[in-house]
């Protein structure tokens, strides 16, 4: 079955640096992949969606890449700020016998230090 | 505009009891999905409903059930609670035709503790 893996260890970086988070998946390549941000005690917030025919997508300081050969997506935050500290989740759509489902990775916690 | 709302915010139950969690989607959204998030893990998909019909079901036991009402609000029911059901239960709504390419808007969640 499809597995989604994100680095479970927290990523600590200095303010102003670029943060890079990784999402790896096994088996088949999804048609699209999503990234969310989650703050403690809150629901996830949608950030970006990238489709299989898009190699890269940008939104302000965020950039997502999607490599279907490596079965990997990278999420970059440039010029990181302490306010970017949160857990970042990747998600993809899978189909089981009961229909489509949105499947999340375990998330990576990002800590940006001033 | 109000976002997705969930009630109650927190809930404490004992093993074997039943619980009902409620979700009101963003006005105009017809799709509602439910997720369980155990501390330190990502959300796990439980159900999706669109136009009052079940569209998807995750790998959860039959103790979990849900329904969607004509006003598109939704309830998640869990019977015979187990300690392992303790988690944050999230509801998400989306517009469009219920595809997961539509932006999912999550509520704040209901924190369920089973003692």
């Amino acid at each position: 079955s499809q597995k989604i893996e994100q680095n479970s260890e927290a990523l600590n970086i200095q303010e102003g640096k670029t943060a890079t988070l990784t999402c790896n998946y096994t088996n088949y390549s999804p048609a699209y992949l999503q990234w969310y941000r989650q703050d403690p005690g809150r629901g996830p917030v949608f950030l970006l969606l990238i489709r299989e025919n898009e190699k890269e997508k940008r939104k302000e300081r965020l950039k997502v890449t999607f490599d279907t050969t490596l079965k990997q997506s990278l999420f970059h935050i440039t010029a990181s700020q302490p306010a970017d500290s949160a857990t970042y989740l990747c998600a993809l759509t899978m189909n089981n016998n009961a229909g489509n489902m949105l499947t999340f990775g375990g998330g990576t916690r990002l800590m940006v230090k001033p | 505009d109000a976002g997705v709302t969930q009630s109650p915010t927190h809930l404490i139950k004992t093993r074997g009891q039943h619980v009902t969690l409620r979700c009101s989607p963003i006005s105009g959204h017809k799709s509602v999905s439910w997720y369980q998030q155990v501390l330190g893990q990502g959300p796990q998909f439980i159900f999706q409903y669109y136009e009052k019909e079940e569209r998807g079901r995750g790998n959860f036991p039959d103790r979990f059930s849900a329904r969607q009402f004509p006003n598109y609000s939704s309830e998640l029911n869990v019977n015979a609670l187990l300690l392992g059901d303790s988690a944050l239960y999230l509801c998400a709504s989306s517009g469009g035709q219920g595809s997961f390419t539509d932006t999912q808007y999550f509520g704040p969640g209901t924190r369920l503790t089973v003692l």
Side-chain angles (χ1 to χ4, degrees), chain A residues 85-104:
Chain A
S85 299
T87 295
Y88 291 86
L89 301 155
C90 70
L92 53 84
T93 302
M94 295 169 52
N95 185 279
N96 63 10
N97 292 333
N100 283 336
M101 49 191 279
L102 189 61
T103 302
F104 285 85

Side-chain angles (χ1 to χ4, degrees), chain B residues 32-95:
Chain B
V32 170
S33 298
W34 286 96
Y35 299 82
Q36 179 196 67
Q37 188 173 25
V38 173
L39 199 61
Q41 297 181 19
Q44 270 199 289
F45 176 84
I46 310 175
F47 289 109
Q48 185 202 15
Y49 276 78
Y50 176 73
E51 285 280 21
K52 301 178 286 292
E53 298 285 329
E54 183 181 299
R55 272 276 191 92
R57 174 186 285 252
N59 297 323
F60 280 80
D62 292 342
R63 299 185 296 107
F64 289 77
S65 64
R67 56 179 176 167
Q68 188 177 32
F69 299 100
N71 66 353
Y72 303 110
S73 67
S74 178
E75 280 183 356
L76 175 70
N77 294 284
V78 187
N79 292 323
L81 285 167
L82 303 174
L83 295 179
D85 295 331
S86 295
L88 180 68
Y89 287 84
L90 294 161
C91 170
S93 77
S94 64

Side-chain angles (χ1 to χ4, degrees), chain A residues 2 6 12 16 53 55 101 110:
Chain A
Q2 184 77 288
Q6 294 185 257
N12 294 292
N53 60 348
K55 296 299 181 188
M101 49 191 279
L110 173 66

